[in-house]
Amino acid sequence: MAWMKRTAVGLVVAALLVGTGAAVYVQRSFAVVDGTLQVPGLRDAVRVQRDPSDVTHVRAQTPQDAWFAMGYVHAQERTWQLEFNRRVMHGELSEVFGSATVETDKLMRALDIMGVAKRQYAGLPQYAKDALQAYSQGIHAFHKNRPQALPPEFHVLGVQPGGAQGAVWEPEDSVGWALMMALDLGGNWGTEFARLSVARTLDTDRLWQLMPPYPGEKPAASADLAALYRQLGVYRAADAGSTAAAQGSTADVVSRKPEGPLARQISTGMLAWADELTRNAGTNEGKGSNNWVLAGSRTVSGKPLLANDPHLGLSAPAIWYFAGLQAPAGQASDGTPIAAIDAVGATLPGLPFVVLGRTDKVAWGFTNTGPDVQDLYLEQINPADATQYRTPEGWAPFTVRKETIRVKGEADVVMQLRSTRHGPVLSDVQKSHAEVLDLGKYVLALRWSALDDDNQTVLAGFKTNQSKSVDELFAGLAHYHSPMQSVVAADDQGNIRFKAAGRVPVRDAANDIRGVAPSPGWDARYDWKGWLPYEQTPEDRGDRGWVATANQRVTAPGYPHFLTQDWALPYRYERIAQLIEATPKHDAASMQAIHRDVASLATRRLLPHLQQAQPAHPLAAAAQKELQGFDGVMDAGRAAPLIFVAWTDELARGLIIPRIGEGRFKATYGKRDYRAAIEGILERNDSWWCQPATCAEQSAAALGRALDRLQAAYGADPAQWRWGAAHPALSVHRPFGNVPALARFFDVSVPSHGDSYTVNVGQYNAGEAKGPYVNRHAASLRAVYDLGDLEQSRFIYQTGQSGLVFSPRYRDMSTTWADTGYRALQRQPARWAHSLTLAPATPPTTAR
């Protein structure tokens, strides 16, 4: 009995110690937000204050100290996010996650993101280099003497920040992260490849029916693409199977070594994530944003109003971190003057400036313009010498470099990566190329504007934070390179403007493909011929009293330059225009109401076809009852949006798979929903696409299949179905969102309205086997700026400022975001919730 009592007491004591230790660890992992910290590397003391909205304000006596402190704060709040993102762009994920992420690492190495970043960094003016160096030094200073424990991701995965070298964040990494944003937003090579793939089974006219040009326009390419590719013999033999692999790729990317349950779940999840990243790289499908600006003539105050909501993939923590930076004018290390900094808004961890926001005089917002700045080139391999490819001047050798990827628990992957005069050979790292092309005869190389050495996008970012007027803002954005953004701006003097900022190639008049599909790389007429001057990019000074962009065509009729044919369908823009025109004089509340709107004009267009569908299904009558009175408002609390979405999903499958095959459909469907194709097929009553049935019969059959799926998932009573149950906004953590036991802590999920075409967007990926209608791509932030009183500006985003899962600040904005609420975005708040001083460790001796 005594032994049992001692054992019991011991177990209780051990449990208390473990619990106490866990509690101490959690407390020690929180960011220090009050008091004073001694930080070597600062010249003078910096105040880091957090306001009641939890916006972090950095107030320094020199610009360099402000950038240094911004790095320190990002490291405080988002250490794991910085580490994960650094490994993504360096192509070093596999050191942590094993073979699951090898394909992603290969793509990053092939694009040479960090090699390009180093060259671009070398070309920056000294003051921009000083800024990135100071930011990097701030991150290093945090890690050199961390005042808090590392987040749990490092402990669970056994990772040290910066890897074996301790390179937690170098100045070139900030340039690399700007390139990664260009990769996320500035791509169309995936669309080009999809057209190449589909052209094997469809003639060119049918290809344009499946992937139509912008409404009211003709296809940009006049070439007969299907005939061209058949004539060249680009496709692999039909009986070659799908076992061919791109050069240097592994046969099996899933580790075969014994793993515990947690490691196995992380590996499986990261494999799915890596597959999606590599498959969707180089596509703008489903990537959009809204912004609009009203002149004083259309507002109650007589001063401009501006709204912005960039739509990006949802993640936990969020991509943004809200902060303000203030510092007086200073000097760079080479004596160059640096203007005063005074900005507040959304920063990107990894970059030391406000990307979207305002100064004390001017506000701005971005959407993605989406011009065609990526072209794929078919490079013909010399049949007599596979080390050469064909050019306009004859055969030339591939440029080859060696890359080694370290893989946790396995042998290194060693690759020989090729490039041509156009750029990297993507066929060396993208498995899908081997499934379509005869790689013994042709490979695909990428020409992408963002990879050019003169890309100075980060310099433009610094300039915006120093702007005092619309004119100054757009003068600074002349340095903006990639990805091109549709910028709206307003200042307190009443000026408003839209301009597309960024680099766009000029194509030859004889180019009959115009970059919409892969072009013969040996024909000089398909090479780029220069760049569109900044002065000639699309612009609108708001003569009608407002300007709005929502990824629709932003060029006016008669605009002489070709930018792209792959604009987003104009439904969001048209709805914003309706709502602006419906109110003669707007205020901040009416701007917020536009943000809240979930009426889908795209749904309204197809809805009559659904309402006429009469399948022989036991739930058909009940489903049609739910559709009565439905007007396309994608309300989370209703069944009708769910029925509509499931029907369009099944209709796409039923119409398109028989024409192009299930493999090609699976490879191209998801974020690309083929909505324009479906609209055209039904409105033309196109018998070729609908065969062997009529289009009405196809519609009814699609509804029957949709009801089967919905009944299996949500029960036999359509009145109980809810769009919100299938469509939560899910901000996923990497990598723990893939582990069921951890996901409920690390992921952030809230009910959401909308669809891909509503102003309050809720984009889903119907190609996902699990959660096909989950909202994974939505308003990454919302902001409204009142130029009558900029201190009345408002913002919100979908998680919280802290990247630490234990923190109450990890998800504290999520409910407000889901309800389309806001927090104050002020430069001079009336009080501070927290106040921290970063003090130099030793008195300054000389100016930095």
Side-chain angles (χ1 to χ4, degrees), residues 80 83-84 86-88 90-106 109 157-167 266 270 403-413:
W80 172 249
E83 175 68 15
F84 186 85
R86 183 190 65 80
R87 287 186 175 275
V88 171
H90 280 256
E92 295 177 353
L93 286 172
S94 299
E95 293 184 12
V96 177
F97 301 107
S99 54
T101 51
V102 164
E103 298 305 316
T104 298
D105 286 349
K106 287 180 181 179
R109 301 291 184 93
L157 296 170
V159 176
Q160 284 298 314
Q165 305 301 317
I266 291 173
M270 289 304 295
E403 289 281 346
T404 301
I405 297 173
R406 296 180 59 196
V407 183
K408 181 180 179 180
E410 299 189 12
D412 292 349
V413 173

Side-chain angles (χ1 to χ4, degrees), residues 276-344:
E276 182 182 3
L277 187 150
T278 53
R279 182 163 46 89
N280 290 321
T283 175
N284 280 334
E285 297 286 347
K287 297 174 182 176
S289 304
N290 307 315
N291 63 17
W292 62 96
V293 61
L294 278 61
S297 60
R298 296 299 307 271
T299 70
V300 173
S301 70
K303 290 287 188 179
L305 289 164
L306 188 149
N308 190 200
D309 55 299
H311 307 157
L312 297 169
L314 301 180
S315 63
I319 190 172
W320 304 109
Y321 182 85
F322 267 72
L325 291 91
Q326 292 185 26
Q331 280 191 342
S333 59
D334 64 354
T336 304
I338 301 175
I341 303 168
D342 191 350
V344 63

Side-chain angles (χ1 to χ4, degrees), residues 389-422:
Y389 69 100
R390 187 179 175 189
T391 77
E393 291 78 34
W395 300 107
F398 288 100
T399 300
V400 181
R401 60 188 168 86
K402 179 181 175 181
E403 289 281 346
T404 301
I405 297 173
R406 296 180 59 196
V407 183
K408 181 180 179 180
E410 299 189 12
D412 292 349
V413 173
V414 181
M415 301 184 298
Q416 300 293 323
L417 295 175
R418 295 173 290 181
S419 61
T420 72
R421 66 193 187 94
H422 295 115

